[in-house]
Amino acid sequence: MSGVVVVGASLAGLRAADALARSGYSGGVTLIGDEPHQPYNRPPLSKEALLEEQEFDAIRLRSSAKPGAVSLLTGVGAVSADLGRGLLFLSDGRELAFEGLVAATGLRPRALGIPKPSGGVVVLRTYEDLLRLRAELAGVRDVAIIGAGFIGCELAASLTQLGYRVSVIAPEDVPMLRPLGEELGGALMRHHLQAGVGFGLSRLPVAVEGGERPERVVCNDGSSFDAQLVIEAVGSSANVEWLEGNGLDLSDGVLCDERLRFGGDGRFLAAGDVARFPNLAFDSIPRRVEHWEMAVDTGRYAGKALGRLLTSGEESPAFTPMPAFWSDQFELRIQSFGMPGLVTDPGQIRVLEGDLDGEVVVGYHREDTLVGVVLVGFPQNHMKYRTAVSESLAAGVAPA
Amino acid sequence: MKVIVDLNKCNDHGQCVYSAPEVFSLNGRGELSFRDEAKDLYVSDELDESLRDALEEAADICPMQAIEIEG
């Protein structure tokens, strides 16, 4: 048994490997990833990297470990793992022995099972996806984006700014409904509409028609949208198949405890989008959190906790981070703290400051507790509302 | 140890402020306060070693990867 292997050369994986290397652990850290690249930053793919045609170097993530402290293997995936024996089986036929493992294999985008042409239908998750998207945009005038979540809406904003005619098609009544709620989603939709984005909401696409390339997207209400390029932004599934056979709950990511450990063993931790864990600052329900900041926080925690366990045998305190995410759409900065998505009752979602047609702060309440805030604008107030959420969670009641 | 911030990359997300409030702060307009004293690149004075963990966290959590630690 030797060393720690971090599976997934993602943001979470890199931060875990860095934290391990910095923890004083001397058994060796190997970071493996199936993409051909060094770890890179994904949020710019739908924004700056698309708008400004950034090259790979602009999105490459820096390691904070000493040079040589982390061995990076790229272009190699994990096929399976035998946790009991401490063996990882790689796609190139090699085996890696480990005494500790961090699972940070992330997500892959879903594709819709509807008839579609072989070309001109893309997803966006990786740098290769971005290169494909850029290439496919040549000669295109109309783009249909299927899915009205954050990635769909960011792409709609970026592509509209680049001069394409964009339609967003989704079953919900407003974009970003699940994370933000009806009112704020509606307000942001009005902003997109004013900027020229088209919406085909409350309907499902049933086919992408065309020859070798798309011509239109046809929906279940008979409507159709011209599109020479279709982007599917309809969610994702967790890359956990390689962990099968170890008696783990892999029904939605990797089920972890409040210390990000899985399989009831402190030597195995998960980080990033695959980690389904309870955040005891909120409640004891395990959830996956697909935020960029959470990838950093889980990665750092997992690396530090594993390093500590392997060097001193000590357990770490429970992982209770303050979730945060942002989204840039047109000139709008949307910033969230806490877990607004926990609140679905519209009566518990209230404007705290400003108004929905301009800068606004929306509060999301569960009983009397402020569990999340979303700010559109008001950059000078981020700290105040982040503090309000953490104080309310700590007290279990909303601030007066 | 010094901290260097690329103010052209920085997008005023403010995540650094939560990690290392001893070093980073936002001004009244919600911008990184170093913008008031530097233009393209902010280079700090020599900082105390006790801040290293906090600064490393700030560098890790910067969405624009605009923060570097030197030394």
Side-chain angles (χ1 to χ4, degrees):
Chain A
M1 304 257 275
S2 68
V4 168
V5 58
V6 179
V7 187
S10 53
L11 173 67
L14 176 67
R15 293 300 176 236
D18 283 354
L20 259 159
R22 294 203 308 249
S23 73
Y25 175 69
S26 57
V29 182
T30 305
L31 175 62
I32 73 157
D34 59 2
E35 291 186 60
H37 304 286
Q38 292 182 43
Y40 61 92
N41 207 15
R42 297 189 199 279
L45 298 179
S46 56
K47 302 183 281 284
E48 300 89 341
L50 182 58
L51 284 167
E52 300 162 22
E53 294 229 8
Q54 287 178 338
E55 295 309 316
F56 184 79
D57 207 49
I59 61 170
R60 195 169 53 83
L61 289 165
R62 280 193 307 268
S63 167
S64 57
K66 288 196 173 68
V70 174
S71 310
L72 176 65
L73 298 179
T74 56
V76 185
V79 176
S80 62
D82 183 334
L83 297 179
R85 290 164 63 210
L87 281 177
L88 185 70
F89 301 92
L90 305 182
S91 57
D92 62 2
R94 272 186 290 177
E95 291 178 16
L96 276 183
F98 58 83
E99 63 168 335
L101 177 140
V102 178
T105 34
L107 310 176
R108 59 180 178 272
R110 282 207 186 100
L112 290 177
I114 59 174
K116 52 191 158 190
S118 55
V121 182
V122 300
V123 294
L124 184 62
R125 174 80 185 171
T126 66
Y127 184 67
E128 265 60 39
D129 291 337
L130 173 68
L131 296 181
R132 198 170 306 127
L133 170 60
R134 280 184 192 158
E136 293 275 9
L137 278 167
V140 163
R141 189 186 62 171
D142 307 277
V143 179
I145 297 171
I146 302 177
F150 282 109
I151 292 176
C153 289
E154 288 180 357
L155 278 169
S158 297
L159 292 170
T160 300
Q161 285 173 287
L162 288 170
Y164 298 96
R165 296 205 331 204
V166 176
S167 306
V168 176
I169 303 165
E172 300 88 0
D173 300 335
V174 300
M176 299 169 277
L177 173 66
R178 198 173 44 92
L180 299 183
E182 190 98 32
E183 275 203 294
L184 184 53
L188 292 167
M189 178 176 168
R190 290 194 289 280
H191 197 88
H192 274 260
L193 283 167
Q194 277 167 15
V197 177
F199 283 92
L201 299 176
S202 314
R203 72 199 80 191
L204 284 166
V206 290
V208 180
E209 294 184 347
E212 285 184 9
R213 294 188 56 88
E215 288 170 21
R216 70 193 73 79
V217 177
V218 180
C219 297
N220 61 348
D221 62 349
S223 61
S224 75
F225 297 83
D226 287 345
Q228 301 87 50
L229 177 67
V230 177
I231 307 176
E232 294 181 281
V234 291
S236 43
S237 9
N239 297 319
V240 291
E241 292 80 358
W242 63 279
L243 279 168
E244 282 170 3
N246 289 288
L248 304 171
D249 180 340
L250 303 174
S251 52
D252 176 26
V254 186
L255 178 64
C256 301
D257 66 11
E258 72 283 359
R259 291 176 170 80
L260 302 183
R261 305 175 299 192
F262 61 85
D265 191 320
R267 296 171 302 152
F268 311 134
L269 294 93
D273 293 338
V274 294
R276 180 158 63 99
F277 66 96
N279 184 341
L280 299 181
F282 292 83
D283 55 31
S284 56
I285 301 169
R287 298 182 184 87
R288 293 193 306 102
V289 184
E290 297 177 15
H291 304 160
W292 187 94
E293 283 90 340
M294 193 57 82
V296 176
D297 289 342
T298 52
R300 288 174 55 88
Y301 175 91
K304 219 187 252 185
L306 187 50
R308 187 179 199 177
L309 180 78
L310 294 177
T311 50
S312 70
E314 286 173 37
E315 291 285 353
S316 296
F319 177 63
T320 55
M322 170 62 71
F325 69 81
W326 86 94
S327 177
D328 290 323
Q329 299 170 27
F330 297 106
E331 75 288 2
L332 299 179
R333 162 73 47 84
I334 302 159
Q335 175 68 52
S336 163
F337 298 107
M339 301 187 82
L342 293 184
V343 181
T344 49
D345 173 3
Q348 295 293 317
I349 303 175
R350 297 191 286 277
V351 171
L352 302 179
E353 186 173 348
D355 70 83
L356 285 162
D357 290 316
E359 285 193 298
V360 70
V361 183
V362 179
Y364 299 74
H365 302 80
R366 196 164 59 177
E367 292 165 12
D368 289 328
T369 307
L370 181 66
V371 294
V373 289
V374 177
L375 298 92
V376 181
F378 285 121
Q380 68 279 22
N381 290 353
H382 283 185
M383 176 76 98
K384 169 178 148 189
Y385 285 104
R386 184 187 192 269
T387 305
V389 173
S390 62
E391 286 179 351
S392 183
L393 285 169
V397 290
Chain B
M1 175 181 59
K2 289 180 179 178
V3 67
I4 300 171
V5 184
D6 183 332
L7 294 173
N8 295 319
K9 275 191 190 170
C10 167
N11 206 342
D12 303 300
H13 281 266
Q15 292 293 319
C16 50
V17 179
Y18 311 120
S19 299
E22 304 88 346
V23 175
F24 298 96
S25 61
L26 299 182
N27 66 23
R29 296 182 299 281
E31 300 165 347
L32 192 66
S33 54
F34 297 149
R35 290 192 188 284
D36 300 334
E37 49 188 293
K39 200 164 168 286
D40 295 319
L41 206 63
Y42 169 82
V43 182
S44 75
D45 297 332
E46 194 62 30
L47 297 169
D48 194 85
E49 192 60 28
S50 63
L51 291 168
R52 185 174 291 276
D53 272 359
L55 287 172
E56 271 167 356
E57 185 178 321
D60 281 355
I61 199 75
C62 172
M64 310 312 290
Q65 298 291 286
I67 301 170
E68 269 187 86
I69 299 160
E70 190 184 81

